[in-house]
Amino acid sequence: MPTPAIELRHVTKRFLTPSGTAYTALRDLDLAVGDGEFCAVVGPTGCGKSTTLALISGLELPSEGEVLVGGAPVQRVGRDVGYVFQVDAVFPWKSVLDNVATGPRFRGINRREAEERARDWIKRVGLAGFERYYPHQLSGGMRKRAALAQTLINEPRFLLMDEPFSALDVQTRTLMENELLQLWSATRASVVFVTHDLEEAIALADRVVVITAGPGTVKGVYRVDLPRPRNVAEIRFQPEFSRIYQEIWNDLRDEVLVSYERSKRVVS
Amino acid sequence: MLLLGVWEIGTMKDATHPDGFWIDPFFYGRPSSIANQLWTWAQNGTAQGPLWLQVATTLEEAALGFLIGVGLGVVFGVALGRVRLLADVFAPYIKALNAMPRIVLGSIFILTIGYNIWSKVALAVVLVFFVVFFNAFQGVREVDRVLIANARILGAKERQLSTDVIFPSALSWILASLHTSFGFALVGAVVGEYLGAYQGIGLMISTAQGTFNPSGVFAAMFILAVVALSAEVALTWLENRLIKWRPNTVTADARI
Ligand SMILES: Nc1ncnc2c1ncn2[C@@H]1O[C@H](COP(=O)(O)OP(=O)(O)OP(=O)(O)O)[C@@H](O)[C@H]1O
Ligand SMILES: [Mg+2]
């Protein structure tokens, strides 16, 4: 087997809680993403999905175990990593153009070339004409597009996405999912895509990983053998899709229930 | 307006009320004589020289104190906000200095630096510094963690983090402090002049006080108010220019 693009080996991550005790977010998590593979990660809320991405990106380091990206252990934020955050992370004081050009500028490319490339990416994500707008003047969907362009302009070999479309309405979402697949097929980056929408996971990914309710560990891994190129809007109606959906849902449901019961207990 | 009217009438004199109707003009002045005083100053200059020179002197001291104080405040605030170790080392000293009534430093500056403008600038700097410093420091502390994470992912080095994320993000805090701090700069300049100077509005006040001329004191205060208001307008303009990215309720888009 060739070396995976991204690999987590027996990873445990503990956080210090405000009360001073240690909270285990991930426990003994194993995950491998092949080169050019689109891997979706699903799991109930609070199970450690965002934490997993933070570990791969190098923003956080594991308490135990190893994280390897491109075969090398992660020690700091990697150059080849792109990360679309769960919450808005575009810079509010920069226009769309400046936001998208930020990556190349940080990487030492001169302003003219950076802006030229930024314009190209702005067009590709469908924001042409909004170059001079500030984030607060855009809709939520447009801000996500800007964030996508800001990340993709660096041409990351490893692309991490944290529920990028969860705040969008269904139509916009389907549209952007298709666009993402198109952009990805041109780059062939290795993708880890976090979502708690199982349909989205199956429609986009080659493989779906189910994480258990916190502390998170891998509950199951499923291949999605649906042909590409895919049309996200139509793929849901294929019999194979519902079969995979049933299979994964059986696993996921238990975890979601566990997580739900816990949250009820906290409330009452 | 009404207040001015009452004040004017209240200080009128006639044979039966040699000390004014209700208010003694000897101690409180009166609007007409204040206006008169302003006119005389404008026409004939003050005891220390032409009026414009007094205003210009005070403005120069306040502006210099303001600029230096803001510069130092921003640099120290951002540095201490960024570097934990610096904050831990300097925080107790800065807190102690801040707790001190800083106006008394004015006397010390007059004694050590002299009657020239720099003793006033120094006092203004001290007053401005703390306001700006605490705002810049807090602004840096409040920077959204996700924006920092995003910048690091996009390839920012430490210096770029400061210039591209932390400073712009803290800027709205810093700008908010500028309104208060120009007021402080003016206070510093005027108090400094009051304590001892060759020129300036503060000196005009102290002279007027020394010659029992309340109209002079009020007239000088009036000039100060005009100066402060103009500075406020200029700062608001600057603020709107610098943070045009912020959702703004009063600019162009509200007028469409
Ligand atoms: N910096 C931190 N300090 C302390 N606890 C943390 C920290 N980051 C995450 N956690 C905890 O780790 C657990 C997992 O968090 P994480 O954000 O990874 O969940 P998630 O799976 O992304 O959830 P969601 O689907 O709601 O986004 C949570 O219980 C959270 O409280
Ligand atoms: Mg999350």
Side-chain angles (χ1 to χ4, degrees), chain A residues 57-59 77-78 81-83 85 87-94 102-103 105-107 134 136 150-151 154, chain B residues 143-144 146-157 160-161 164-166 168-169 244-248 253:
Chain A
S57 70
L59 287 169
V77 175
V81 175
Y83 194 158
F85 291 85
V87 292
D88 259 339
V90 288
F91 305 108
W93 54 85
K94 289 183 192 242
T102 302
R105 293 286 293 142
F106 280 163
R107 284 152 199 250
Y134 285 95
H136 77 91
Q150 187 183 51
T151 299
N154 283 333
Chain B
V143 175
D144 192 344
V146 179
L147 294 184
I148 294 182
N150 191 22
R152 288 177 61 197
I153 294 281
L154 292 173
K157 325 242 176 334
Q160 291 166 323
L161 271 187
D164 272 67
V165 184
I166 293 176
S169 166
K244 56 183 188 296
W245 54 268
R246 208 168 47 176
N248 202 328
D253 48 9

Coordinates of all heavy atoms in Angstrom, one line a residue, chain A residues 57-59 77-78 81-83 85 87-94 102-103 105-107 134 136 150-151 154, chain B residues 143-144 146-157 160-161 164-166 168-169 244-248 253:
Chain A
S57 N -4.0 20.1 10.4 CA -3.5 21.4 9.9 C -2.2 21.8 10.6 O -1.5 22.7 10.1 CB -4.5 22.5 10.0 OG -4.7 22.8 11.4
G58 N -2.0 21.3 11.8 CA -0.9 21.7 12.6 C -1.2 22.9 13.5 O -0.3 23.4 14.2
L59 N -2.4 23.3 13.5 CA -2.8 24.4 14.5 C -2.8 23.9 15.9 O -2.6 24.6 16.8 CB -4.2 24.9 14.1 CG -4.3 25.8 12.9 CD1 -5.7 26.1 12.5 CD2 -3.6 27.1 13.1
V77 N 2.2 24.5 11.3 CA 1.3 24.7 10.2 C 1.9 24.5 8.9 O 3.0 25.1 8.6 CB 0.7 26.1 10.3 CG1 -0.2 26.4 9.1 CG2 -0.1 26.4 11.6
G78 N 1.4 23.5 8.1 CA 2.1 23.1 6.9 C 1.8 24.1 5.8 O 0.8 24.8 5.7
V81 N -1.2 23.0 3.1 CA -2.6 22.7 3.7 C -3.5 23.9 3.5 O -3.1 25.0 3.6 CB -2.4 22.5 5.2 CG1 -3.8 22.3 5.8 CG2 -1.6 21.2 5.5
G82 N -4.7 23.6 3.0 CA -5.8 24.6 3.0 C -6.8 24.2 4.0 O -7.1 23.0 4.2
Y83 N -7.5 25.2 4.6 CA -8.4 24.9 5.6 C -9.6 25.9 5.5 O -9.4 27.1 5.7 CB -7.7 25.1 7.0 CG -8.4 24.6 8.2 CD1 -7.7 24.2 9.4 CD2 -9.8 24.4 8.2 CE1 -8.3 23.8 10.5 CE2 -10.4 23.9 9.4 CZ -9.7 23.6 10.5 OH -10.3 23.1 11.6
F85 N -12.6 27.1 7.4 CA -13.1 26.9 8.7 C -14.6 26.8 8.9 O -15.4 27.2 8.0 CB -12.6 28.1 9.6 CG -11.1 28.1 9.8 CD1 -10.3 28.6 8.8 CD2 -10.6 27.5 10.9 CE1 -8.9 28.6 9.0 CE2 -9.2 27.5 11.1 CZ -8.4 28.0 10.1
V87 N -16.5 28.4 11.0 CA -17.1 29.7 11.1 C -16.5 30.7 10.1 O -15.4 30.3 9.5 CB -16.9 30.3 12.5 CG1 -17.7 29.5 13.5 CG2 -15.5 30.3 12.9
D88 N -17.1 31.8 9.9 CA -16.5 32.8 9.0 C -15.1 33.2 9.4 O -14.8 33.5 10.5 CB -17.4 34.1 9.0 CG -18.3 34.2 7.9 OD1 -18.0 33.5 6.8 OD2 -19.3 34.9 8.0
A89 N -14.2 33.1 8.4 CA -12.8 33.4 8.7 C -12.2 34.4 7.7 O -11.0 34.6 7.7 CB -12.0 32.2 8.9
V90 N -13.0 34.9 6.8 CA -12.5 36.0 5.9 C -12.2 37.2 6.8 O -12.9 37.4 7.8 CB -13.4 36.3 4.8 CG1 -13.4 35.1 3.8 CG2 -14.8 36.6 5.3
F91 N -11.2 38.0 6.3 CA -10.9 39.2 7.1 C -11.8 40.3 6.9 O -11.9 40.8 5.7 CB -9.4 39.6 6.8 CG -8.5 38.5 7.0 CD1 -7.9 37.8 5.9 CD2 -8.2 38.0 8.3 CE1 -7.0 36.8 6.1 CE2 -7.3 37.0 8.5 CZ -6.7 36.4 7.4
P92 N -12.6 40.8 7.9 CA -13.6 41.8 7.7 C -13.1 43.1 7.1 O -13.9 43.8 6.5 CB -14.3 41.9 9.0 CG -13.4 41.3 10.0 CD -12.5 40.3 9.3
W93 N -11.8 43.4 7.4 CA -11.3 44.7 6.9 C -10.7 44.6 5.5 O -10.1 45.6 5.1 CB -10.3 45.2 7.9 CG -9.2 44.2 8.2 CD1 -8.1 44.0 7.4 CD2 -9.2 43.3 9.3 NE1 -7.3 43.0 8.0 CE2 -8.0 42.5 9.1 CE3 -10.0 43.0 10.3 CZ2 -7.6 41.5 10.0 CZ3 -9.6 42.0 11.2 CH2 -8.5 41.2 11.0
K94 N -10.8 43.5 4.9 CA -10.2 43.4 3.5 C -11.4 43.2 2.5 O -12.3 42.5 2.8 CB -9.3 42.2 3.4 CG -8.0 42.4 4.1 CD -7.1 41.2 3.9 CE -5.8 41.2 4.8 NZ -4.6 41.3 4.1
T102 N -4.8 37.3 -0.2 CA -4.0 37.2 1.1 C -2.9 36.1 1.0 O -1.8 36.3 1.4 CB -4.9 37.0 2.3 OG1 -5.8 38.1 2.3 CG2 -4.1 37.0 3.6
G103 N -3.3 34.9 0.7 CA -2.4 33.8 0.7 C -1.2 34.0 -0.1 O -0.1 34.0 0.4
R105 N 0.0 36.8 -1.2 CA 0.8 37.9 -0.6 C 1.6 37.4 0.6 O 2.8 37.8 0.7 CB -0.2 39.1 -0.2 CG -0.9 39.7 -1.3 CD 0.0 40.7 -2.1 NE 0.5 41.8 -1.3 CZ 1.7 42.3 -1.4 NH1 2.5 41.8 -2.2 NH2 2.0 43.4 -0.7
F106 N 1.0 36.6 1.5 CA 1.8 36.1 2.6 C 3.0 35.3 2.1 O 4.0 35.2 2.8 CB 0.9 35.3 3.5 CG 0.0 36.0 4.4 CD1 -1.1 35.4 5.0 CD2 0.3 37.4 4.7 CE1 -1.9 36.2 5.9 CE2 -0.5 38.1 5.6 CZ -1.6 37.5 6.2
R107 N 2.8 34.6 1.0 CA 3.8 33.7 0.5 C 4.8 34.5 -0.4 O 5.6 33.8 -1.2 CB 3.2 32.6 -0.3 CG 2.6 31.6 0.7 CD 1.4 30.8 0.2 NE 0.6 30.2 1.3 CZ 0.6 28.9 1.5 NH1 1.2 28.1 0.7 NH2 -0.1 28.5 2.5
Y134 N -16.8 44.5 0.8 CA -16.3 44.0 2.0 C -17.2 42.9 2.5 O -18.4 42.8 2.2 CB -16.3 45.1 3.1 CG -15.1 46.1 2.8 CD1 -15.4 47.3 2.1 CD2 -13.9 45.8 3.2 CE1 -14.3 48.1 1.8 CE2 -12.8 46.7 3.0 CZ -13.0 47.8 2.2 OH -12.0 48.7 2.0
H136 N -18.9 42.2 5.0 CA -20.2 42.5 5.6 C -21.3 42.9 4.6 O -22.4 42.9 4.9 CB -20.1 43.6 6.7 CG -20.0 45.0 6.2 ND1 -21.1 45.8 6.0 CD2 -18.9 45.7 5.9 CE1 -20.6 46.9 5.5 NE2 -19.3 46.9 5.4
Q150 N -10.2 32.0 -1.3 CA -9.1 32.3 -0.5 C -8.2 31.1 -0.1 O -7.0 31.2 -0.1 CB -9.6 32.9 0.8 CG -8.5 33.5 1.7 CD -9.1 34.0 3.0 OE1 -9.9 33.3 3.7 NE2 -8.9 35.3 3.3
T151 N -8.9 30.0 0.1 CA -8.1 28.7 0.4 C -7.6 28.1 -0.9 O -6.4 27.7 -0.9 CB -9.1 27.7 1.1 OG1 -9.5 28.3 2.3 CG2 -8.4 26.4 1.4
N154 N -4.2 29.0 -3.0 CA -2.9 28.5 -2.6 C -2.6 27.1 -3.2 O -1.5 26.6 -3.0 CB -2.7 28.5 -1.1 CG -2.5 29.8 -0.5 OD1 -1.9 30.7 -1.1 ND2 -2.9 30.0 0.8
Chain B
V143 N -8.7 39.9 19.5 CA -8.6 39.5 18.1 C -9.2 38.1 18.0 O -8.9 37.2 18.8 CB -7.2 39.5 17.6 CG1 -7.2 39.0 16.2 CG2 -6.7 40.9 17.6
D144 N -10.1 37.9 17.0 CA -10.7 36.6 16.8 C -9.7 35.5 16.5 O -8.8 35.6 15.6 CB -11.6 36.7 15.6 CG -12.6 35.6 15.4 OD1 -12.3 34.5 16.1 OD2 -13.5 35.7 14.7
V146 N -10.0 32.6 15.3 CA -10.1 32.0 14.0 C -9.4 32.8 12.9 O -8.8 32.2 12.0 CB -11.6 31.8 13.6 CG1 -11.8 31.1 12.3 CG2 -12.3 31.0 14.7
L147 N -9.5 34.1 13.0 CA -8.8 34.9 12.0 C -7.3 34.7 12.1 O -6.6 34.6 11.0 CB -9.1 36.4 12.2 CG -10.6 36.8 11.9 CD1 -10.8 38.3 12.1 CD2 -11.0 36.3 10.6
I148 N -6.8 34.5 13.3 CA -5.3 34.3 13.4 C -5.0 32.9 12.8 O -4.0 32.7 12.1 CB -4.9 34.4 14.9 CG1 -5.1 35.8 15.4 CG2 -3.5 33.9 15.1 CD1 -4.6 36.0 16.8
A149 N -5.9 31.9 13.2 CA -5.6 30.6 12.6 C -5.7 30.6 11.1 O -4.8 30.0 10.4 CB -6.7 29.6 13.2
N150 N -6.6 31.3 10.6 CA -6.8 31.4 9.1 C -5.5 32.0 8.5 O -5.0 31.5 7.5 CB -8.0 32.2 8.7 CG -8.4 32.1 7.3 OD1 -7.9 31.1 6.6 ND2 -9.1 33.0 6.7
A151 N -5.1 33.1 9.1 CA -3.9 33.8 8.5 C -2.7 32.8 8.6 O -1.9 32.8 7.6 CB -3.6 35.0 9.3
R152 N -2.5 32.1 9.7 CA -1.4 31.2 9.8 C -1.5 30.1 8.7 O -0.5 29.7 8.1 CB -1.3 30.5 11.1 CG -0.9 31.5 12.2 CD -0.9 31.0 13.6 NE 0.0 29.8 13.7 CZ -0.1 28.9 14.7 NH1 -1.0 29.1 15.6 NH2 0.8 27.9 14.7
I153 N -2.7 29.6 8.5 CA -2.9 28.6 7.4 C -2.5 29.2 6.0 O -1.9 28.5 5.2 CB -4.3 28.1 7.4 CG1 -4.6 27.3 8.7 CG2 -4.6 27.2 6.2 CD1 -4.1 25.9 8.7
L154 N -2.9 30.4 5.8 CA -2.7 31.0 4.5 C -1.2 31.4 4.3 O -0.8 31.8 3.3 CB -3.5 32.3 4.4 CG -5.0 32.0 4.3 CD1 -5.8 33.3 4.3 CD2 -5.3 31.2 3.0
G155 N -0.4 31.2 5.4 CA 1.1 31.4 5.2 C 1.7 32.6 5.9 O 2.8 33.0 5.6
A156 N 0.9 33.2 6.9 CA 1.5 34.4 7.5 C 2.6 34.0 8.4 O 2.6 33.1 9.2 CB 0.4 35.1 8.3
K157 N 3.7 34.9 8.4 CA 4.8 34.8 9.3 C 4.4 35.6 10.5 O 3.4 36.4 10.4 CB 6.1 35.3 8.8 CG 6.2 35.0 7.3 CD 7.4 34.2 7.0 CE 7.5 33.8 5.5 NZ 6.2 33.8 4.7
Q160 N 3.8 39.3 9.8 CA 2.6 39.5 9.0 C 1.4 39.3 9.8 O 0.4 40.0 9.6 CB 2.6 38.5 7.8 CG 3.7 38.9 6.7 CD 3.9 37.7 5.8 OE1 3.8 36.5 6.1 NE2 4.1 38.1 4.5
L161 N 1.4 38.4 10.8 CA 0.3 38.3 11.7 C 0.0 39.6 12.4 O -1.1 40.1 12.5 CB 0.6 37.2 12.7 CG 0.2 35.8 12.5 CD1 0.4 34.9 13.7 CD2 -1.2 35.7 12.0
D164 N -1.0 42.4 9.4 CA -2.2 42.1 8.6 C -3.4 41.6 9.4 O -4.5 41.7 8.8 CB -1.8 41.0 7.5 CG -1.2 41.6 6.3 OD1 -0.1 42.2 6.4 OD2 -1.9 41.6 5.3
V165 N -3.2 41.1 10.6 CA -4.4 40.6 11.3 C -4.6 41.4 12.6 O -5.6 42.0 12.8 CB -4.3 39.1 11.6 CG1 -5.5 38.6 12.2 CG2 -4.0 38.4 10.3
I166 N -3.5 41.4 13.4 CA -3.7 41.9 14.8 C -3.9 43.4 14.8 O -4.8 43.9 15.4 CB -2.5 41.5 15.6 CG1 -2.7 40.0 15.8 CG2 -2.6 42.1 17.0 CD1 -1.6 39.3 16.5
P168 N -4.9 45.6 12.2 CA -6.2 46.1 11.7 C -7.4 45.7 12.6 O -8.4 46.4 12.7 CB -6.3 45.3 10.3 CG -5.1 44.6 10.1 CD -4.2 44.7 11.3
S169 N -7.3 44.5 13.2 CA -8.4 44.1 14.1 C -8.5 44.9 15.3 O -9.6 45.2 15.8 CB -8.2 42.6 14.4 OG -9.0 42.2 15.4
K244 N -13.6 51.9 6.8 CA -14.7 51.9 5.9 C -15.3 50.5 5.7 O -16.3 50.3 5.1 CB -14.4 52.6 4.6 CG -13.2 52.0 3.8 CD -13.0 52.8 2.6 CE -11.9 52.2 1.6 NZ -10.6 52.1 2.2
W245 N -14.5 49.5 6.2 CA -15.0 48.1 6.0 C -16.1 47.8 7.0 O -16.7 46.8 6.9 CB -13.8 47.2 6.1 CG -13.1 47.3 7.4 CD1 -12.0 48.1 7.6 CD2 -13.3 46.7 8.7 NE1 -11.6 48.0 8.9 CE2 -12.4 47.2 9.6 CE3 -14.3 45.8 9.1 CZ2 -12.4 46.8 10.9 CZ3 -14.3 45.4 10.4 CH2 -13.3 45.9 11.3
R246 N -16.2 48.6 8.0 CA -17.2 48.2 9.1 C -18.6 48.5 8.7 O -18.8 49.6 8.0 CB -16.8 49.0 10.3 CG -17.2 48.2 11.6 CD -16.6 48.9 12.8 NE -16.7 50.3 12.8 CZ -16.3 51.1 13.9 NH1 -15.7 50.5 14.9 NH2 -16.5 52.4 13.8
P247 N -19.5 47.7 9.0 CA -20.9 48.0 8.7 C -21.2 49.3 9.4 O -21.1 49.4 10.6 CB -21.7 46.9 9.3 CG -20.8 46.1 10.1 CD -19.4 46.4 9.6
N248 N -21.6 50.3 8.6 CA -21.7 51.7 9.2 C -23.1 52.2 9.0 O -23.7 52.1 8.0 CB -20.7 52.6 8.5 CG -20.4 53.8 9.3 OD1 -21.3 54.2 10.1 ND2 -19.2 54.3 9.2
D253 N -24.4 54.2 2.4 CA -25.5 53.2 2.1 C -26.8 53.6 2.8 O -27.9 53.2 2.4 CB -25.0 51.8 2.4 CG -24.4 51.7 3.8 OD1 -24.4 52.6 4.6 OD2 -23.8 50.6 4.0

